[in-house]
Structures are given as C-alpha cells and as structure tokens.
Amino acid sequence: MIWRPRADQLATAVTHPHSRWRPAVAAVPRHVFIPQWWTREEHGWSLHDGPADPDHWLDAAYADRSLITAVAGHHADGADPDHHPTGRPTSSATLPSLLIQVYRHARIGPHDSVLDVGTGSGYGTALLAQRLGDARVTSIDVDKYLVEAARERLSSLGRYPLIEVADATDAIPGVHDRIIATVGMPHIPASWLRALRPGGRLVTTLADTSLIITATKQGDGSAVGKVEWDRAGFMAARSGRDYPADATDQLAAAWTTHGDVKISPYPVVDVEQAWDLSSMVALTIPGVEHGYRVEHGRRIAVMAHPDGSWARASSTGPQPASVHQGGPRRLWDQLDAIRAQWLTTGELPVRGARVRIEPTGRTVLTRSGWHTVVKP
C-alpha cells in the first residue's frame, strides 16, 4: 500500500516546514492504527472497513480529522457491519493537528521522558516514540483492548514504548518530565504531581471544556501555570468500558416538559458552539448536558443535569427567550448569570486564568477577581 506520499501531505498540512514534529508525522503510517472506524448516521453508528476499501481507507486515515474507533465500549475492530451501536464515542484516533497542538504546549525537549495519557488508537504514542525513542515514552489507557491493540500495531512498525493499562484518575506508572493528556480530565489527580519531576510540565484539558491547562511542578510539590488562550477538546476520561449514567434521559424529557416559566433577557444560544461560554458552564455546573435544534425558524436549546434539573429555552431570531425549567436548580438562570458577566466585562475570565494545582490535586483558577476550584 502506497502511504508515504499521503503521510507527507498530512505532515505538510499539520506542521510548519521547520517543525520538529514534521518528520514524525511523515514517517508514521496512520492507517495502521485505524483499520476500522465508526461514523454517525441517522440510524446509528455505521462501520467502515479500511482493508475492504483501500482508497477510502487512505483518504480517511491521512485527512486531518478524528476517526471514532469505539462507541459505548463497542470497538470498531472486528465489529459486525450490521451492528449499529448507540451511545457516546468512547475512543478515537485524534486528528493529527490537535495532537501536534498539544505536544507544542508541552514544550518537549529531545531528552524528555513523556507520559501519554490516553493511548487510544496508539497513533499519538507512535508520533512520540518516533521523535523521542521508545525508552522515553510511556502510554496508558483504561481500556485493555486498546492497550493490547496499540502494542501490536506499534510492534509491527518496530516500535516498543511502554504501554500499560491504567486509570488516569488513579495511580499512574513511573516518573516523567512531561505528562500529556489527550482525554479531558474531570480534575487533575494528585498522582500526576507525584509522577512529575520537579520542573516537569503537564498539559491537559478539563472534561467538557475547551480549556487547555499547562503547569510546571514546583519544589513544594504543587504546580503552577495557566489556562492557555488556545482551545482544544477531547473525550472525557473514563474509568470503565463506557461512561457512567448521565443526564441523557433528563435531556430527552426537557424538549417537551413544562415547568416554571420566565422570559430571559437574552436570546437562545447554542451553548456547545460558544466555547468560552460552554467552558464556564461546565466549571459552574459540572455534568450539565446540552441540546439545540431549529424548528420552523424557532431556535430551541435544552439543558439537563443528572440531579434532575432541566431547562428549555426558545426564541425567534434575536428575541428574548421563553424559558421553562425545573428540578432542584434553575439551569437557565445560571446560564444567564454567566452571560451577564460576559456582557458586563467584555469577556469571560476563564481563558488566560492563572492555575495553581496543590499536591492534593485541588486546582484553583483565578483571574481579575474571579476564581473557581476544581476539586479532586
């Protein structure tokens, strides 16, 4: 299979000409790590078999896009073409430009040892090993199958980094100069600070946000850094085959349920497409889920939380939204409070915030009189 020209084109697309990552992207055959993948269709998720259609395989593998490799714990590898799973994606081959973006934030030196949190397909691990050498790369994933598949695929290329099954929110192996997560973390575990050498740097996103946190370990065992002005988003870390129960049922009910009624001072917003707003909401109300659609010119947004809180807002164009909400919390009221802060100050404070991670993992974000705490 002629893949090298494709890999070279991908390297040109996702790196600048003098990037130290350019040779790695050009040298790693991405298709090896994605023999099968899922795409979302109206009737559920549909399977794509790479070897059955080599041209389509190469087109997909060497495009700068993420490919879903597991849905609700169902791996694409070896799946029945007639199987159409439902649920959330649980693993993917991350788009290469996003991997390079995160690696740049890590400021990886040629002699640094790296812990790669979230092996996934193994492609990112391969890029790290290609640049740094096998001995400097450790990769972990909670999914035993993904670990075994990544080992096999890397070994087929003559690469043997250490890859282990581990829960990123629990104890992690070794001591490292860099810790890089390509999963969204609910919090920064204390184990990460213990596994990071003094002066070492960690890079992660917070689950359900687009916030990239970078921090350097201090002599007292804490780490200090910032929320980068850049943005990135990854699947949330999990501790099992699938994610735990969430607000899916409440979100479905929110489209039709009637509750307390109010008129918002603001029009409907598609929260998930407003990255800073959705990040603030996720920090303020962890676990909240969103939905959005347009019906006959009317925009409708819903919110729901596992505690039973829900909200539905609808409006036409820029008109103030009519809101129904119920449960123990008034979710749309909390959203409106965040939007009021945005309009008052001209921006939301989370991007660019200072970060301090205590040895316990307690993480404090502060900026311009605002602060929030992400607890372990």
Side-chain angles (χ1 to χ4, degrees):
M1 182 175 290
I2 301 174
W3 60 269
R4 289 188 181 277
R6 304 279 194 131
D8 192 62
Q9 291 172 1
L10 179 60
T12 299
V14 304
T15 66
H16 63 78
H18 303 292
S19 170
R20 288 171 292 182
W21 291 104
R22 189 184 186 90
V25 176
V28 174
R30 189 174 185 235
H31 69 282
V32 168
F33 298 91
I34 322 162
Q36 293 181 293
W37 66 96
W38 302 104
T39 58
R40 195 193 297 270
E41 310 290 348
E42 289 185 7
H43 56 276
W45 294 87
S46 291
L47 185 70
H48 295 259
D49 184 344
D53 188 346
D55 289 338
H56 178 54
W57 189 12
L58 291 175
D59 287 344
Y62 294 98
D64 187 26
R65 55 180 282 206
S66 292
L67 296 176
I68 303 302
T69 55
V71 174
H74 300 279
H75 296 285
D77 294 347
D80 186 331
D82 294 328
H83 182 206
H84 301 285
T86 59
R88 297 169 60 183
T90 48
S91 188
S92 71
T94 302
L95 71 162
S97 62
L98 182 54
L99 291 174
I100 300 304
Q101 174 188 357
V102 173
Y103 296 163
R104 285 174 178 158
H105 280 297
R107 301 176 184 173
I108 303 169
H111 304 296
D112 286 334
S113 60
V114 175
L115 176 66
D116 170 34
V117 178
T119 307
S121 71
Y123 175 69
T125 311
L127 293 178
L128 291 165
Q130 181 71 29
R131 180 179 162 192
L132 301 172
D134 297 348
R136 294 190 176 93
V137 178
T138 300
S139 187
I140 62 173
D141 202 291
V142 73
D143 190 315
K144 182 180 178 181
Y145 172 79
L146 293 175
V147 166
E148 292 174 346
R151 280 183 189 146
E152 180 179 342
R153 289 161 187 167
L154 282 156
S155 67
S156 75
L157 303 176
R159 286 287 174 199
Y160 301 93
L162 179 63
I163 309 177
E164 296 190 359
V165 178
D167 183 343
T169 64
D170 200 350
I172 55 177
V175 180
H176 312 274
D177 299 306
R178 299 290 186 270
I179 297 177
I180 304 170
T182 52
V183 292
M185 298 300 296
H187 58 85
I188 299 177
S191 62
W192 286 26
L193 295 182
R194 294 192 295 269
L196 192 64
R197 288 193 176 95
R201 184 174 175 88
L202 66 83
V203 181
T204 187
T205 57
L206 293 178
D208 302 319
T209 79
S210 60
L211 305 178
I212 303 173
I213 287 180
T214 60
T216 301
K217 187 173 179 179
Q218 307 300 297
D220 64 358
S222 67
V224 297
K226 65 179 179 179
V227 177
E228 298 287 346
W229 289 97
D230 204 358
R231 296 173 171 85
F234 293 99
M235 293 180 190
R238 51 191 169 83
S239 295
R241 184 169 178 264
D242 196 0
Y243 294 105
D246 56 19
T248 300
D249 291 342
Q250 292 96 316
L251 196 68
W255 291 105
T256 57
T257 305
H258 295 281
D260 296 342
V261 181
K262 63 167 280 188
I263 300 298
S264 168
Y266 311 115
V268 166
V269 61
D270 183 356
V271 177
E272 289 186 308
Q273 299 305 310
W275 284 18
D276 286 6
L277 181 60
S278 65
S279 295
M280 282 289 291
V281 171
L283 289 175
T284 305
I285 325 167
V288 72
E289 300 278 341
H290 300 276
Y292 177 84
R293 64 191 184 205
V294 178
E295 295 180 349
H296 308 295
R298 193 164 184 81
R299 296 183 297 130
I300 307 171
V302 294
M303 302 172 67
H305 191 274
D307 70 3
S309 302
W310 63 273
R312 180 180 70 257
S314 61
S315 69
T316 302
Q319 298 300 315
S322 173
V323 180
H324 289 260
Q325 51 190 342
R329 288 188 279 188
R330 295 299 178 261
L331 299 180
W332 205 266
D333 289 356
Q334 292 181 270
L335 174 64
D336 279 348
I338 294 170
R339 297 175 76 181
Q341 181 183 24
W342 196 353
L343 291 172
T344 300
T345 62
E347 63 178 357
L348 290 171
V350 66
R351 197 102 29 206
R354 295 189 298 275
V355 174
R356 177 177 172 81
I357 309 166
E358 298 172 359
T360 61
R362 182 178 183 269
T363 301
V364 183
L365 281 59
T366 59
R367 182 168 180 247
S368 302
W370 169 84
H371 81 280
T372 193
V373 176
V374 181
K375 298 179 180 179

